[in-house]
Amino acid sequence: MIAEVIVDIAHSDVDKIFDYECGEEIEAGMRVTVPFGRSAATGFVMRLKEKSDFPADKLKRIYRAEEDYPALTAESLILAQKIVARYRVPMALVLRLFLPAEMRTGKVSERYRSFAKIAEGAAPVFSRAAKKQEAAFAYLSEHGETDAAILRERFGGAVNALAEKGYIAIEKRRVLRDPYRGVEGEKISRALTPAQRLAVKTIEETDKTVTLLHGVTGSGKTEIYLTLIAEQLRKGKSAIFLVPEISLTPQMLSQLRARFGESAAILHSGLSAGERFDEWCRLREGTAKIAIGARSAIFAPVENVGAIIIDEEHDGSYSSESAPRYNTADIAKLRAAYNGCKLILGSATPSVETYRLAKEGEYQLITLPDRINRRPMPDVVIADMRREVRRGNASAFSSQLRERLEKCLSEGNQAIVFLNRRGYSQTVVCRTCGYVAKCEHCDVALTYHSEEDCLKCHYCGTRYHMLSACPECGGTHINYVGTGTQRVVGELKKLYPKARILRMDNDTTSGKEGHFRILKEFGEHRADILVGTQMVAKGHDFPSVTLVGILDADMSLHFADYRSGERTFQLITQVAGRSGRAEARGEVVLQTYDPDNYILRFAANYDYNGFYEYEIGMRAALAFPPFAKIVRVMATGTDERETLDALREVYGKLQEIYGKYPEKFLFFNKMHAPIKRIQNKFRYQVLMRLTDGTPLKEIYDACADVKRKNAMVYIEENPSNLS
Ligand code: ADP
Ligand code: ZN
């Protein structure tokens, strides 16, 4: 037989099929070691065939298979080809997505244990001196196959003696680590509410592949997902359940564990390399049928998929930030098409793009407007921070928030204080009137560049002078440094010396373990106030939380990004959703320098539709996605000349495409990336705004052809970050 092999080297020079001779034992999808150049390389068997076009004496033979099973499923191989065609990246790079990193590096150790059982046809006669042996034999006859270590603990050397005599057989077998041993949860089985039941029924019966489940926070979406998954399991099918990493809270883990036991493989970054590898193996061999995890779990090796669920579909973590820069929902759609199964996107705050498709009938839309048991949404109070400043309150807390914090603590409830730190430091805000410096052409906030002491627009590159006074009110309290969590905790400690306060941000949470520990502690009510940044916003269900304070609600509103309004709405809704989830009524205090802002008003009223209509109108007027596509081609490299040279070549090719469809280009410009150098790599870019995706394929082709030793070129579509 002949095997078509892709060598596992992610370089465009070797990104092609090589033919090798092979024996019967080789199957498509296997990892193999092959002679390559003057040494050896690992590779992937893409296909088997009878004959090669190469002369037989030129063909080399595969050395060996790395595993005795194909690591890549038939579906993975097909999917990989589609991804390569779409994103124009080397095949090896794409195939790696389907495998645990530990498998390729060979660094993970497989774990073995020995098991003892009665040898076939054994009819031992024991001498009187061999009491222990007799007892051990009797034990095995009664209990059947037993872990040899346990047996040795009880019967010592007698075990080996029995084995030597051939009365028992000891066999070494691979065992898979179980990272969730000891994770227990009570199995809660609840009857679905009528709304949940209807949602499940609609999903099962719709002839549309994709369903958007738009349900307010606390409307019971999770229960719907779990029901759908259980139903697929019952049919003998498998399922993929994606959640943003942070949502894998202790509660969620134990709930999944209690519900699905070992049928669920939960892949998250808190696992050790060995554990992750073993969870992957359980999915590959089919003992586990539900793959649960963050973005990368969309590549899980499950077969016969019956449902794919993407929870919090709007979450930014579903876009990959390294090559291939895929969008998780796009891959999910490919898998749904291959398996003929349903894809469910769930969110309380769907992305504008997704919601538009649902409204236009492309997706099935299901709306859950009420919380479970009609629990009310928390009341939102908007606190005008300009007034606080005028009144001489220089602290991080408004009087409204302080008042409610006192009440919350005195009643023995818990509070979350949320800081919106991202994007703050670079945006310029007047502390007196709330004015934010924006681009005249793009209506997005400008970003401060300290090296040049100027403001820049990340969408069109226009430069502005740094402000010394506010153009609106003349005030000189111009601010571009945020309040840190540390300062907030300090202030809280002074105000409430008895309160137990936890802080959660990137500094306090070394690794995901840290997250987990803090959330667990807070969840067990061993603290009264949780102070944190973005990571406290999502998915948690803490019943004793009755107050959420959002310290600077508008800070992400002015992030230099066309999606900042959407992000802010999502963030506020998510954070607010942490309050009042159980019996006690919840409250939210939203502090802002811009209290009349539409986005904040919509968020405070839980008015998603109002927000959507407003936002989609803005996007249409300004020709932002989904009415246009922003495409950035980036050249980066440590050698500035080579990087620039690569970009020039790309630019030349892109100009030809531009010439071919000028009407498709709203914007086309070559420039320095806003941040010129990151980690010693120079960055040059071509920024385009297209009316639609027509020229995309040619753009990808053009970029794939540009090759440099010390620089790489990549493409981003509607990037979430234009710095
Ligand atoms: P969402 O994912 O939409 O934010 P959850 O699934 O977390 O909502 O549900 C909110 C709360 O309602 C949770 O505490 C959950 O345990 C509870 N819940 C969900 N479904 C039911 C049900 N059918 N009966 C009773 N309680 C439920
Ligand atoms: Zn601009």
Side-chain angles (χ1 to χ4, degrees):
M1 289 295 267
I2 305 295
E4 294 189 345
V5 172
I6 289 278
V7 291
D8 190 8
I9 300 169
H11 197 285
S12 49
D13 289 350
V14 294
D15 185 28
K16 52 182 172 242
I17 294 280
F18 294 92
D19 282 359
Y20 287 90
E21 269 181 33
C22 69
E24 289 292 304
E25 76 286 1
I26 299 296
E27 296 171 51
M30 276 187 169
R31 290 194 325 129
V32 290
T33 301
V34 294
F36 194 71
R38 256 175 272 147
S39 60
T42 47
F44 306 97
V45 177
M46 301 300 289
R47 209 165 71 93
L48 294 173
K49 57 189 178 187
E50 294 293 330
K51 266 177 54 192
S52 173
D53 295 337
F54 280 93
D57 57 337
K58 284 262 168 70
L59 283 180
K60 292 185 185 157
R61 201 173 168 84
I62 286 179
Y63 285 144
R64 62 171 181 275
E66 287 296 298
E67 287 89 19
D68 55 10
Y69 61 91
L72 296 161
T73 62
E75 183 188 357
S76 306
L77 292 173
I78 291 172
L79 229 52
Q81 275 157 359
K82 295 199 163 145
I83 296 171
V84 165
R86 169 77 172 75
Y87 297 103
R88 289 300 309 262
V89 283
M91 179 59 95
L93 205 60
V94 174
L95 293 174
R96 288 175 190 175
L97 296 169
F98 293 89
L99 302 172
E102 297 78 21
M103 183 175 221
R104 293 182 44 251
T105 55
K107 287 212 183 91
V108 66
S109 60
E110 297 178 352
R111 186 176 291 177
Y112 290 90
R113 279 217 307 269
S114 299
F115 295 89
K117 63 177 182 204
I118 306 273
E120 229 169 286
V125 187
F126 293 105
S127 68
R128 233 183 272 157
K131 281 252 155 48
K132 269 238 165 110
Q133 290 182 30
E134 192 168 4
F137 191 85
Y139 181 92
L140 264 189
S141 325
E142 187 185 335
H143 290 87
E145 188 178 87
T146 305
D147 190 323
I150 295 175
L151 212 59
R152 288 198 182 99
E153 220 165 83
R154 282 179 162 242
F155 304 103
V159 178
N160 285 357
L162 283 173
E164 270 161 34
K165 288 181 186 156
Y167 296 156
I168 67 171
I170 295 183
E171 189 192 56
K172 205 165 150 189
R173 273 208 309 266
R174 178 159 180 222
V175 289
L176 299 175
R177 281 155 275 229
D178 178 4
Y180 305 103
R181 182 168 301 150
V183 176
E184 278 165 48
E186 42 177 329
K187 188 163 181 172
I188 317 167
S189 51
R190 316 184 180 83
L192 295 185
T193 63
Q196 286 172 323
R197 237 180 301 132
L198 182 63
V200 169
K201 188 162 176 278
T202 309
I203 292 167
E204 281 171 350
E205 288 174 3
T206 175
D207 50 14
K208 290 177 181 151
T209 303
V210 186
T211 296
L212 170 61
L213 182 59
H214 175 211
V216 298
T217 56
S219 57
K221 295 186 291 297
T222 311
E223 198 66 33
I224 294 173
Y225 305 145
L226 301 185
T227 305
L228 290 168
I229 294 171
E231 181 55 23
Q232 293 308 322
L233 273 191
R234 211 183 51 75
K235 289 189 195 155
K237 298 202 174 185
S238 61
I240 300 173
F241 181 19
L242 305 183
V243 283
E245 177 79 59
I246 187 69
S247 295
L248 285 172
T249 57
Q251 301 132 299
M252 182 76 155
L253 274 185
S254 55
Q255 200 180 347
L256 289 166
R257 184 68 179 177
R259 192 85 160 232
F260 299 117
E262 291 180 1
S263 334
I266 308 174
L267 307 154
H268 66 92
S269 53
L271 300 185
S272 72
E275 288 167 342
R276 238 191 338 261
F277 179 58
D278 283 359
E279 287 291 271
W280 184 89
C281 290
R282 296 200 308 118
L283 288 168
R284 181 67 190 93
E285 65 188 32
T287 44
K289 290 192 172 301
I290 314 166
I292 300 163
R295 176 176 76 220
S296 61
I298 194 59
F299 299 104
V302 284
E303 293 175 278
N304 198 6
V305 182
I308 305 173
I309 293 159
I310 305 183
D311 188 26
E312 312 279 11
E313 70 84 29
H314 62 275
D315 196 273
S317 69
Y318 288 122
S319 302
S320 164
E321 285 184 345
S322 56
R325 290 176 159 69
Y326 63 88
N327 176 306
T328 305
D330 290 342
I331 310 285
K333 283 178 199 169
L334 293 175
R335 293 203 73 169
Y338 180 90
N339 289 282
C341 76
K342 297 280 160 63
L343 168 61
I344 296 100
L345 308 174
S347 176
T349 53
S351 71
V352 168
E353 282 93 337
T354 302
Y355 198 71
R356 180 158 178 259
L357 290 171
K359 274 196 81 156
E360 288 183 344
E362 178 93 11
Y363 299 167
Q364 174 71 43
L365 177 62
I366 298 175
T367 308
L368 301 171
D370 299 312
R371 282 188 160 181
I372 290 283
N373 296 333
R374 302 219 164 230
R375 235 164 252 154
M377 298 300 287
D379 285 326
V380 182
V381 178
I382 295 186
D384 181 352
M385 292 308 278
R386 297 171 310 181
R387 239 180 60 201
E388 299 286 325
V389 172
R390 282 201 296 271
R391 281 209 221 134
N393 175 5
S395 85
F397 308 103
S398 60
S399 45
Q400 287 105 313
L401 180 55
R402 265 213 298 233
E403 219 171 84
R404 285 169 179 79
L405 259 174
E406 255 145 59
K407 183 162 162 280
C408 169
L409 294 175
S410 71
E411 288 170 353
N413 289 320
Q414 289 179 293
I416 293 178
V417 172
F418 170 73
L419 265 96
N420 204 353
R421 221 170 36 165
R422 237 183 37 213
Y424 188 1
S425 59
Q426 300 161 345
T427 304
V428 176
V429 191
C430 169
R431 289 258 288 169
T432 316
C433 76
Y435 167 84
V436 174
K438 285 191 173 178
C439 175
E440 288 168 21
H441 316 292
C442 303
D443 197 37
V444 294
L446 298 173
T447 300
Y448 179 65
H449 285 248
S450 57
E451 331 101 82
E452 298 162 66
D453 192 35
C454 74
L455 302 173
K456 276 192 200 172
C457 170
H458 283 187
Y459 284 80
C460 68
T462 308
R463 284 170 57 116
Y464 299 81
H465 286 296
M466 179 52 196
L467 305 170
S468 50
C470 171
E472 291 281 315
C473 74
T476 50
H477 283 295
I478 304 254
N479 208 344
Y480 48 92
V481 183
T483 325
T485 41
Q486 228 164 344
R487 203 188 117 196
V488 169
V489 169
E491 281 193 39
L492 280 172
K493 279 195 172 140
K494 269 196 212 124
L495 289 169
Y496 313 107
K498 284 206 213 107
R500 296 163 299 172
I501 302 169
L502 279 175
R503 175 161 77 100
M504 178 154 129
D505 56 28
N506 280 327
D507 307 333
T508 56
T509 49
S510 49
K512 301 283 156 42
E513 288 276 334
H515 274 156
F516 225 75
R517 214 195 51 242
I518 294 174
L519 291 170
K520 192 157 186 289
E521 201 172 331
F522 191 64
E524 290 166 1
H525 207 149
R526 285 187 279 138
D528 306 300
I529 308 176
L530 174 64
V531 177
T533 48
Q534 259 66 3
M535 46 185 97
V536 304
K538 296 172 194 162
H540 315 303
D541 194 6
F542 300 120
S544 306
V545 171
T546 57
L547 177 65
V548 167
I550 302 175
L551 292 197
D552 20 28
D554 31 2
M555 288 313 152
S556 64
L557 202 49
H558 306 304
F559 197 36
D561 178 351
Y562 72 92
R563 266 180 284 210
S564 55
E566 177 176 359
R567 291 258 170 76
T568 305
F569 183 85
Q570 287 163 348
L571 204 56
I572 292 176
T573 310
Q574 296 291 339
V575 187
R578 300 313 111 217
S579 181
R581 291 174 73 88
E583 282 69 37
R585 180 96 201 222
E587 274 188 306
V588 178
V589 178
L590 200 158
Q591 299 190 163
T592 171
Y593 291 96
D594 189 8
D596 298 320
N597 186 283
Y598 281 107
I599 301 284
L600 300 187
R601 293 272 155 198
F602 289 131
N605 293 321
Y606 301 101
D607 183 3
Y608 180 86
N609 285 311
F611 152 75
Y612 172 78
E613 294 301 338
Y614 171 80
E615 183 70 21
I616 202 86
M618 291 280 281
R619 302 269 184 102
L622 294 166
F624 276 134
F627 302 98
K629 190 146 211 154
I630 295 173
V631 178
R632 165 155 89 166
V633 173
M634 173 78 82
T636 82
T638 45
D639 183 312
E640 182 163 21
R641 274 221 346 256
E642 217 173 316
T643 308
L644 190 54
D645 188 54
L647 189 88
R648 284 209 188 99
E649 188 185 337
V650 169
Y651 186 66
K653 289 170 188 268
L654 293 176
Q655 261 177 326
E656 283 172 33
I657 302 173
Y658 180 32
K660 200 163 144 195
Y661 318 90
E663 76 288 355
K664 296 280 178 199
F665 285 76
L666 296 165
F667 182 80
F668 181 63
N669 192 11
K670 171 179 75 166
M671 61 182 176
H672 252 303
I675 299 178
K676 276 192 229 160
R677 228 165 103 174
I678 294 182
Q679 291 174 333
N680 286 323
K681 284 194 175 137
F682 292 91
R683 306 165 88 231
Y684 288 93
Q685 70 181 32
V686 179
L687 196 60
M688 291 162 273
R689 204 168 337 146
L690 309 173
T691 52
D692 60 51
T694 317
L696 259 185
K697 180 149 190 351
E698 286 168 63
I699 292 173
Y700 272 100
D701 287 344
C703 296
D705 286 346
V706 178
K707 291 168 190 165
R708 292 291 183 286
K709 228 193 177 97
N710 297 306
M712 62 179 273
V713 175
Y714 63 80
I715 302 173
E716 293 166 291
E717 297 173 38
N718 295 341
S720 53
N721 185 349
L722 272 182
S723 46

